[in-house]
Amino acid sequence: MDFGLSEEQLLLAETVTRFLDERLPVPRVREVIDGDESIDPDAWRALAELGVTGCLVPETHGGAELSLLDAAVIATALGHGAAPLPFLGSATLATLVLRGAASPAVQSEWLPRLADGSARMALAAAERIEQRQDSGVTFEGGRLQGTALFVIDGAGADAYLVAVGDDVHLVPASADGLAIKALPTIDRTRGLVELGFEAVAPADSFLAVGAALDRAVDAGRVIVSADILGSCDRAISMSVAYAMDREQFGRPIATFQAVKHLCAEMVAAIEPARSLLWYAGHSWDEIPEESALLATLCKAHFSTVGHDLVRIATQVHGGIGFTDEYDLQLWFKRVGLSRQLLGGPEKLNAHAAELQGLA
Amino acid sequence: MDLSYGPEYETFRAELREFLQTRGDEAPGRAGEVASLGGESLVRWQKLLIEHGYAARNIPKEYGGAGAEPDPLIATILSEEFGRARVSRGVAGQGIDMLVPTLLEHGSEEQKRSYVPPTVTGEMVWCQGYSEPGAGSDLAAIQTHGRVEGDTLVINGQKIWTSTAQFSQMMFALVRTEPEAAKHAGISYVLVPMDTPGLDVRPLKTMTGHAEFNEVFFDEVRVPVANIVGRRGQGWKIANTTLGHERNMLGSSATSEGLYEGVVRVMREEQVDGHSALESPVLRDRLMSLQAKTIAMKCHAMRLLGSRLRGESSGVAGLVTKLNGCQLNHDLAGLAIDAMGEGGVLYRGTDRSRENGRWQFQYMFQLGLIIGGGTAQIQKNIISERGLGMPREPKVAASAAKSGVKG
Ligand SMILES: Cc1cc2nc3c(=O)[nH]c(=O)nc-3n(C[C@H](O)[C@H](O)[C@H](O)COP(=O)(O)OP(=O)(O)OC[C@H]3O[C@@H](n4cnc5c(N)ncnc54)[C@H](O)[C@@H]3O)c2cc1C
């Protein structure tokens, strides 16, 4: 019996964190999000050497074939660094859909390139989770038609995996009739795009792969939760450090009990959530019969906890926390985006009830 | 991450399951209910459990326990399996859970021999005489004092909020014996027989309608000086060992899991306009939020167990259980009441009340636990100070460096 992260996982967290501190410190993050590209492509390729880009790619295709809990450890570090990198969209969602749904030939064509960071992919599946107005894609007579919204890390992807019902269609970014439109979001460290399909012929189609889609989405929910966790860790450490430093009424605000209690509430909320996340990651790897429920409840819980937490952290900072110049807003917004991605808490709670036959 | 316990533990678990299946009927009450303290059926059950090594497991044989080495995995299996079978774990409470570990650590040989065996079997019931009208969170402010006359300690003063005092034969109390000493240095830890002349117990009815606790008055109460545990004036340090044990008891995830399952049952059975309460999207949303928290607390307990097995400190993670767990239990009971609608207000004494008012009782009782054993605010002081290294409360820092708060 050993519940917790292994030595290797702690080392992995440290390695990625150190990499980000050196290669993608906050000033660099700001440069990237103020520039034309939505991610830092050099950092992404450099992370390939650490096994990050291909962490969920099988070894036979040049990946590191790590567990989802390992990937969650990486995602926590990326959240902590507010890294503008397509870990969720390309390295998790698209990679796992390819692994679970694509033909061997397509896997051989794409997975090695995802692993070495030379290509990126994104999954268009928002409609599978929640059908919103003005969206939806159909597949008739060999052609895709319609609109796919909120494609995570879709900007600059080389190809898209488009879910239509239980089928998945592979569409290169250069396909005729495909329009890619960036959607400005609050969180500029990760991009969403909208895909327009005008009689687009997919390069390949994989039919009746609903189970693989669901499993990839479950994994995605764990990874977003991990990203929220990392963001929260950052918000807490910034808050405590700021409270110790900032003086009012002739003493550090950390001596005011109201401030101490806000900080205590943040940790008290995040520590059991961290335990839940580890278990949700572990169950995706090892206890498949439980993993859909755990991923769903985990993401619902993190959406709520994270949302409250970054609000509290901002309040601990006072006016400075509300400015663009001070970095905390990066995590406030990153958590704001994460909360809505792959289902908000109400949607996920309803889904969790269904999964257990409670609905 | 490895959640398997290994074959020798699975054998232990299988034997325990078999025992609970074949002998579980002999247990008094059902898990969750309080079997009457000191009652015959409880003592009989406790003795059977000790014989099998399922209770008082780590207490040495010469003091009436089963004498096994402490093993957190065995402890976890015991808690899981008794919980699953919904069978009484035998004697629980302040005697066996708080006093016994304290005596084993700090008591004289004679104290251990006289008090541990009957406490372990449940024949001797104890209460904790710490809080006073003027000393709650600031426990070291106690005023109840003892003056030494030869071999006798003469105690005067008052304790309050003393749980189960009316059923107890003995009290472990904090008494100021060195009036000249500094706040924390003048306190002794004293064992007081409840039938000593001059000692008066007055039950205090709580909001639940029961007297869960009492006031205890001391008027020239004479006990032997030999009833002091450890040395005179050392009581504060000794009390802090028991408070540590208490903090681990409150907010356990097994309680939350039991309450969660109960709420699901209530919501399945309650009918609203011809539909079960589970079909209400709003109530169901609340249920799922609480399920996530319940599972999180269970995972958290496993994580703390993991740290203990590795011999590592759990750091700040180890300080958040009481604050989260007690609030969660209160919220779970609150949801059950809301799921019953107007019927949720019914209490004991009507057939229409579900489970004889269990949920209203729990709702109130769990609030008591948010306050007792170190309030939620005191927990937040502890988390921010010990966990995050933020500055200590001014008063505490000035009077004593060591933990000057109950918790
Ligand atoms: C159900 C129940 C059972 C109990 N059983 C026992 C028992 O068996 N034996 C026993 O000795 N005691 C027992 N107690 C007493 C319990 O330990 C105290 O009630 C508790 O420690 C709080 O003390 P108090 O009631 O004096 O409240 P106070 O200490 O007066 O607290 C009142 C309010 O002030 C806040 N406060 C106080 N100090 C601080 C501070 N430094 N920082 C921030 N906020 C602060 C508290 O959080 C609370 O909100 C029991 C209590 C309950 C409710």
Side-chain angles (χ1 to χ4, degrees), chain A residues 1-4 244 254 257 260-261 264-265 267-268 271-272 275 278-279 282 297 346 349 353 356 358-359, chain B residues 1-4 73 268 284-285 288-289 291 299-300 302-303 310 324 377 380-381 384-385 389 391 393:
Chain A
M1 158 77 196
D2 188 15
F3 188 101
M244 304 286 258
Q257 200 176 50
K260 280 165 68 180
H261 283 194
E265 283 160 20
V267 234
E271 287 308 325
S275 310
W278 290 349
Y279 187 69
H282 174 73
L297 286 175
E346 294 80 12
N349 278 344
Q356 305 173 79
L358 295 178
Chain B
M1 197 71 101
D2 171 13
L3 303 183
S4 67
L73 282 184
R268 214 188 274 287
R284 202 171 56 207
D285 186 71
M288 290 300 97
S289 296
Q291 184 185 26
C299 296
H300 197 64
M302 289 198 276
R303 172 173 158 205
R310 284 194 300 272
N324 282 305
Q377 290 68 36
K380 290 179 195 174
N381 287 350
S384 56
E385 292 169 11
E393 288 304 293

Side-chain angles (χ1 to χ4, degrees), chain A residues 257, chain B residues 94 128 130-131 136-137 161 163 213 368 372-373 375 377 381 406:
Chain A
Q257 200 176 50
Chain B
Q94 297 176 325
Q128 177 199 50
Y130 286 6
S131 304
S137 301
W161 326 131
S163 302
F213 47 40
T375 67
Q377 290 68 36
N381 287 350
K406 168 150 195 178

Side-chain angles (χ1 to χ4, degrees), chain A residues 23-77:
Chain A
R23 292 289 301 269
L24 260 175
V26 176
R28 172 70 193 138
V29 169
R30 285 180 176 271
E31 227 172 80
V32 173
I33 65 180
D34 290 341
D36 300 332
E37 293 229 54
S38 62
I39 70 158
D40 184 335
D42 297 339
W44 189 239
R45 271 188 296 274
L47 275 171
E49 277 157 44
L50 298 179
V52 166
T53 53
C55 69
L56 294 173
V57 172
E59 281 179 357
T60 48
H61 291 298
E65 200 170 338
L66 300 181
S67 67
L68 189 71
L69 183 55
D70 296 326
V73 166
I74 294 171
T76 306

Side-chain angles (χ1 to χ4, degrees), chain A residues 102-348:
Chain A
S103 63
V106 168
Q107 292 195 23
S108 304
E109 182 189 349
W110 284 97
L111 286 172
R113 296 172 57 209
L114 294 184
D116 69 17
S118 61
R120 287 187 272 133
M121 268 194 177
L123 174 68
E127 284 73 22
R128 186 175 177 82
I129 292 159
E130 200 165 61
Q131 181 73 51
R132 309 303 301 204
Q133 66 278 20
D134 306 328
S135 77
V137 182
T138 57
F139 183 63
E140 267 166 43
R143 302 281 163 163
L144 291 164
Q145 188 74 33
T147 307
L149 290 178
F150 317 131
V151 179
I152 301 162
D153 297 324
D158 299 276
Y160 298 93
L161 294 165
V162 184
V164 179
D166 281 344
D167 304 332
V168 171
H169 306 278
L170 173 66
V171 178
S174 57
D176 283 339
L178 176 67
I180 304 164
K181 194 163 95 189
L183 297 170
T185 68
I186 48 158
D187 172 24
R188 291 183 302 140
T189 64
R190 283 168 308 164
L192 297 183
V193 302
E194 170 181 336
L195 299 178
F197 299 90
E198 189 55 58
V200 174
D204 236 309
S205 295
F206 316 110
L207 306 182
V209 291
L213 275 170
D214 287 343
R215 195 147 160 78
V217 169
D218 288 340
R221 286 175 175 152
V222 172
I223 294 302
V224 187
S225 302
D227 196 289
I228 295 177
L229 174 64
S231 301
C232 289
D233 284 342
R234 186 69 171 247
I236 292 172
S237 60
M238 286 178 81
S239 298
V240 173
Y242 186 78
M244 304 286 258
D245 189 51
R246 166 79 175 163
E247 293 196 1
Q248 283 293 277
F249 300 94
R251 52 186 174 123
I253 58 168
T255 60
F256 296 119
Q257 200 176 50
V259 172
K260 280 165 68 180
H261 283 194
L262 289 177
C263 293
E265 283 160 20
M266 290 193 279
V267 234
I270 209 64
E271 287 308 325
R274 188 189 314 278
S275 310
L276 173 64
L277 171 80
W278 290 349
Y279 187 69
H282 174 73
S283 77
W284 194 92
D285 294 318
E286 304 288 341
I287 321 171
E289 66 276 17
E290 279 187 5
S291 64
L293 176 62
L294 278 157
T296 308
L297 286 175
C298 179
K299 168 67 177 48
H301 186 59
F302 268 93
S303 299
T304 311
V305 166
H307 202 242
D308 289 347
L309 198 144
V310 287
R311 173 185 53 75
I312 295 174
T314 308
Q315 283 180 272
V316 167
H317 282 79
I320 192 85
F322 192 63
T323 64
D324 175 73
E325 181 198 340
Y326 194 75
D327 296 329
L328 184 62
Q329 50 93 3
L330 294 173
W331 287 278
F332 181 91
K333 293 172 182 171
R334 191 157 169 122
V335 171
L337 179 78
S338 294
R339 176 180 159 101
Q340 309 303 128
L341 287 184
L342 302 179
E346 294 80 12
K347 178 79 198 176
L348 293 170

